[in-house]
């Protein structure tokens, strides 16, 4: 079930962020290192409360297992653009949860005034996410080469992708 995030979801969302950035399997899928991921529940609650876009959670059997956040940019010249952040618990790969959440966001975006473009960044080593985004209609718009330097000295590109709202 997908629903709007509420303040009581803050701990679950922070837990998902921490879990997926600390995992050996998924840590390189994120720009932030595990030590930089916030577990400040006050800030997370405020983010949910003051969301200027759309904040959804994916719930299964009463447990939040994923979230997606679309933030609209504040400056007037960028207000036609939003950016996406998404996370899914590591134990639920390949079940279509990401696609389902993205589809909800894209449908919502189509009904919004002056929202023309949705952007995201994906780390080049995260081929699964890149594949899903491409399937959903996102296109690569640019690539910041060797933008991310991991603790082990290896590098990855930050791939910039976008989806245009068609009205």
């Amino acid at each position: 079930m997908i629903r709007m995030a509420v303040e009581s979801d803050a701990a679950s969302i922070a837990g998902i962020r921490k879990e997926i950035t600390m995992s050996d399997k998924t840590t390189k899928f994120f720009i932030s290192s595990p030590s930089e991921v916030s577990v400040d529940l006050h800030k997370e609650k405020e983010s949910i409360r003051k969301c200027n876009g759309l904040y959804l959670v994916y719930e299964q059997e009463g447990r939040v297992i994923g979230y997606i956040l679309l933030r609209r940019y504040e400056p007037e010249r960028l207000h036609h653009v939003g950016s996406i952040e998404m996370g899914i618990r590591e134990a639920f790969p390949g079940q279509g949860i990401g696609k389902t959440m993205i589809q909800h966001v894209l449908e919502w975006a189509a009904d919004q005034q002056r929202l023309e473009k949705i952007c995201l960044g994906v780390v080049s080593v995260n081929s699964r996410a890149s594949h899903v985004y491409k399937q959903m209609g996102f296109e690569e718009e640019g690539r910041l080469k060797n933008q991310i330097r991991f603790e082990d000295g290896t590098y990855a590109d930050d791939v910039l992708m976008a989806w245009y709202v068609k009205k």
Side-chain angles (χ1 to χ4, degrees):
M1 173 178 97
I2 294 180
R3 63 172 174 76
M4 296 291 290
V6 294
E7 288 183 49
S8 60
D9 295 321
S12 295
I13 292 167
I16 291 168
R17 263 195 212 107
K18 196 74 171 171
E19 174 186 312
I20 59 183
T21 55
M22 291 186 74
S23 166
D24 289 339
K25 293 179 186 174
T26 56
T27 190
K28 286 192 171 186
F29 295 170
F30 301 95
I31 291 174
S32 299
S33 69
S35 64
E36 297 170 317
V37 176
S38 173
V39 289
D40 184 331
L41 297 185
H42 176 73
K43 283 184 181 179
E44 193 62 50
K45 287 178 182 180
E46 186 174 334
S47 178
I48 292 168
R49 189 173 49 253
K50 294 183 175 182
C51 180
N52 68 348
L54 183 66
Y55 209 146
L56 301 173
V57 294
Y58 190 100
E59 194 175 61
Q60 193 173 77
E61 298 176 9
R63 181 177 179 217
V64 173
I65 60 169
Y67 72 90
I68 190 165
L69 169 60
L70 181 141
R71 288 185 184 103
R72 299 248 342 229
Y73 291 110
E74 293 292 331
E76 185 63 30
R77 291 182 176 181
L78 296 177
H79 197 64
H80 66 289
V81 180
S83 66
I84 288 181
E85 172 189 330
M86 181 171 63
I88 301 166
R89 289 197 182 278
E90 190 179 10
F92 297 88
Q95 296 183 23
I97 295 167
K99 284 183 185 179
T100 301
M101 289 192 300
I102 294 167
Q103 188 61 45
H104 270 73
V105 168
L106 300 183
E107 289 170 7
W108 176 85
D111 291 333
Q112 300 307 301
Q113 294 291 327
R114 296 186 58 219
L115 182 58
E116 300 173 17
K117 180 179 180 181
I118 298 174
C119 300
L120 59 85
V122 62
V123 179
S124 59
V125 297
N126 192 349
S127 58
R128 184 174 67 206
S130 293
H131 179 74
V132 169
Y133 295 135
K134 287 176 184 172
Q135 281 185 324
M136 301 301 296
F138 284 80
E139 299 175 7
E140 184 174 327
E141 288 197 323
R143 182 177 288 257
L144 302 172
K145 295 184 185 240
N146 291 339
Q147 183 76 1
I148 302 142
R149 184 177 185 277
F150 298 110
E151 292 80 3
D152 66 4
T154 61
Y155 292 86
D157 300 344
D158 188 4
V159 181
L160 308 176
M161 301 183 83
W163 181 83
Y164 288 86
V165 178
K166 295 169 179 57
K167 293 194 178 192

